[in-house]
Amino acid sequence: MSADLPAISERTLAEGPAVHDHPLLDRLYRARGVTAAVELDSQLKHLLPWQSLKGIDAAVDLLQQALQHRWRVLIVGDYDVDGATSTTLAVEALSAFGLDVDFLLPNRFEYGYGLSPEIVELALQQAPDLIITVDNGIASLDGVAAAKAAGVKVLVTDHHLPGEQLPDANAVLNPNQPGCKFPSKAACGCTVMFYLLIAWRARLRESGWFEQGHREPALADWLDLVALATVADVVPLDANNRRLVQQGLARIRAGRARPGILALFEVAGRDWRHARSQDFGFVVGPRLNAAGRLDDMTVGVQTLLARDPAQARQRAAELDALNRERRSIERSMLVDAERYLDDLSDLENRNGHVLFEADWHEGVIGILASRVKDRVHRPVIAMAASDNGLLKGSARSIAGFHLRDGLDWMASQCPGLLRKFGGHAMAAGLTIEAERLDELRQWFDRAVSELCEPEALIPTIVTDGELQAAELNLETALLLETAGPWGQNFPEPRFHGRWRIESQRIVGEHHLKLELSDPNGQVVDAIAFNIEPSIWPTQKPYLDGVYQLQCNRYRGRESVQLVFNDLAPRD
């Protein structure tokens, strides 16, 4: 945190009638684009209908055939949280419907991402009749072709943006494929799989299947997985996604989640009874992701599949240890990245940054890119050495620059530069030949310069304005805690203000504990994490800052606390 704050702007409210009875919540919701109260209703009856998903009938047909002919079904997932939860959902739910199901997760260091021909060769050892991809497959043209050539049917379920050509699968389910009219393009991979289950259940109900003595699975039992995937995969929280997350959170808070998720809360020292959507992104998600980043995501899926609480806790402890190792590696890599930035004479003139060190860990470069992106407020690609003279990269962006579109532009402008690429607006992956690193640096900087509006490159903090003195209390903090779920494109409320510093001290290594007073003399506790030790503590009497109003729980006591994201001392 620097001595100066970036420019602050306040969110503008959507025009129209009130959407909530509480004045503060009404202001917050309308500032996030909510225009009707029904958008805030989390009941499952308001979920978008499955019928508008292109390919849904063909996908259900395949499941029907698998059930009728007793096919062996193999789930091929991805090595991130969305992939692990999608795999768990597919294995458990399809088994509950009566299918013979197993799963295969590619090791990112041996096989890379998606249904590649190499993964198909490995999958064929299990003699599947049907391969179902979850959270991948939309770009796996060669892999799908290899599977079909071997006589295996393929059902692709994915949510990533497709290329110009779709795989020749027996069915493709992806809300982002051309011609799909499903309104929520922000569905994650786990949600796509969940919708396939909803559609299949409807088909079985219609045929009278469950009236013939077959047990009907309760799909709501898997909403904890869908909620975790939605937040951890950082997809926009549109109304449909918020309903799914809210329902999943309700199950967790009631202790009705799977043992593995509850165990992940516990090893992190968090109380699942007060679970928030932010815990998926900052507590549970990173521990699951650590398996795919450093080892094998199979242990993550095994944690989620565990039915015995003791086994779940053991697995969760393994993931927690991997996450600590990941943080240690990340800290070392961040030192290298900061050295690169400090040595860069034209830092302010670079619009896109490409970083590389020969010994960087391929599984951690995505986190590194995100950390550097936050520091320099520029799109960043972090590269790591791979096999056969190739470099693999993970990119993170800022609002205003669509990463996948930018990479697509680079591929068209400089054919052959990118061996492979794919992703979303804010995150993407790519592969290049090692000798073309300097070219990548030039073209990425040029892509950002060409495609990103200059205003987007100016750091700005967007807040929800100031809170009144009467709102600075525990009641408001608890209200905000349950008013979400907050996440991507529906951010947790942040407020700004000026405070008098009554006391300040360092806790831990780099955290600042404060007592502050407002102009009315009301005193409130506050904390700022990872402060700049050359600035804090300060001799100045005031501070300007941007904060979140939260409930601090300690030894059974609840109190209100300001958690500062940015702050600067003032005279």
Side-chain angles (χ1 to χ4, degrees), residues 167-386:
D168 186 26
N170 297 87
V172 175
L173 201 61
N174 183 336
N176 288 300
Q177 67 176 306
C180 184
K181 297 180 180 179
F182 189 68
S184 178
K185 304 303 180 183
C188 68
C190 196
T191 294
V192 174
M193 187 67 218
F194 187 72
Y195 263 83
L196 175 58
L197 296 169
I198 295 173
W200 192 24
R201 183 182 64 180
R203 176 83 67 89
L204 291 171
R205 281 176 175 175
E206 184 180 344
S207 68
W209 175 258
F210 300 119
E211 297 171 4
Q212 301 170 24
H214 303 287
R215 179 177 172 271
E216 180 175 334
L219 297 185
D221 288 345
W222 289 286
L223 283 171
D224 55 348
L225 291 171
V226 179
L228 168 57
T230 299
V231 176
D233 211 48
V234 203
V235 295
L237 289 190
D238 59 17
N240 206 57
N241 281 342
R242 292 199 301 274
R243 292 184 183 107
L244 293 167
V245 173
Q246 193 75 328
Q247 289 289 333
L249 281 171
R251 298 189 70 80
I252 293 172
R253 292 167 182 157
R256 297 170 61 196
R258 64 196 51 254
I261 287 181
L262 299 182
L264 286 167
F265 272 91
E266 290 166 3
V267 296
R270 298 297 182 97
D271 188 344
W272 45 259
R273 292 173 299 179
H274 302 290
R276 305 185 306 150
S277 57
Q278 295 88 326
D279 293 326
F280 292 144
F282 297 103
V283 177
V284 180
R287 284 164 173 80
L288 267 178
N289 261 332
R293 293 186 187 283
L294 300 186
D295 189 12
D296 186 336
M297 186 48 99
T298 300
V299 68
V301 173
Q302 290 171 341
T303 304
L304 296 176
L305 287 172
R307 304 202 173 199
D308 176 57
Q311 184 187 43
R313 283 192 290 271
Q314 179 182 349
R315 295 288 190 190
E318 293 177 34
L319 292 174
D320 189 55
L322 283 171
N323 192 51
R324 288 196 298 272
E325 181 184 352
R326 186 271 303 167
R327 285 201 299 257
S328 176
I329 294 171
E330 178 194 336
R331 284 193 293 270
S332 175
M333 290 167 60
L334 193 55
V335 170
D336 293 336
E338 289 176 343
R339 187 184 307 117
Y340 162 82
L341 294 172
D342 289 340
D343 292 343
L344 200 61
S345 59
D346 61 343
L347 176 62
E348 297 299 324
N349 297 322
R350 291 281 184 99
N351 289 329
H353 292 278
V354 177
L355 288 71
F356 167 74
E357 288 288 340
D359 60 350
W360 278 357
H361 196 293
E362 180 185 327
V364 186
I365 53 175
I367 298 176
L368 179 70
S370 181
R371 297 282 190 267
V372 177
K373 177 263 299 181
D374 290 341
R375 175 181 162 180
V376 300
H377 193 72
R378 294 289 189 277
V380 172
I381 301 175
M383 307 293 294
S386 187

Side-chain angles (χ1 to χ4, degrees), residues 63 66-68 71 73 94-101 130 132 200:
L63 297 182
L67 186 63
Q68 183 178 7
W71 286 351
V73 179
L94 293 177
S95 297
F97 275 95
L99 296 185
D100 176 10
V101 187
L130 171 65
I132 301 177
W200 192 24

Side-chain angles (χ1 to χ4, degrees), residues 372-440:
V372 177
K373 177 263 299 181
D374 290 341
R375 175 181 162 180
V376 300
H377 193 72
R378 294 289 189 277
V380 172
I381 301 175
M383 307 293 294
S386 187
D387 297 327
N388 304 319
L390 299 177
L391 302 181
K392 290 187 177 180
S394 191
R396 297 294 183 269
S397 192
I398 59 174
F401 180 71
H402 194 295
L403 261 178
R404 193 194 177 282
D405 288 354
L407 294 176
D408 194 46
W409 181 87
M410 291 164 59
S412 66
Q413 296 292 314
C414 185
L417 173 61
L418 306 181
R419 290 277 295 260
K420 290 194 298 185
F421 70 93
H424 302 296
M426 305 301 286
L430 63 150
T431 301
I432 67 167
E433 295 165 4
E435 61 268 20
R436 305 194 72 171
L437 178 62
D438 286 339
E439 282 184 85
L440 178 68

Side-chain angles (χ1 to χ4, degrees), residues 63-135:
L63 297 182
Q64 287 284 82
Q65 294 174 55
L67 186 63
Q68 183 178 7
H69 301 295
R70 299 183 180 277
W71 286 351
R72 290 174 56 85
V73 179
L74 184 66
I75 308 300
V76 176
D78 186 19
Y79 40 69
D80 66 359
V81 173
D82 194 10
T85 51
S86 301
T87 300
T88 304
L89 172 63
V91 169
E92 283 194 351
L94 293 177
S95 297
F97 275 95
L99 296 185
D100 176 10
V101 187
D102 202 350
F103 73 93
L104 174 64
L105 289 175
N107 184 301
R108 76 189 302 160
F109 307 111
E110 295 181 36
Y111 296 101
Y113 170 78
L115 186 70
S116 64
E118 294 78 12
I119 285 295
V120 171
E121 185 177 344
L122 191 63
L124 291 177
Q125 297 176 17
Q126 302 187 39
D129 300 293
L130 171 65
I131 289 176
I132 301 177
T133 70
V134 290
D135 190 36

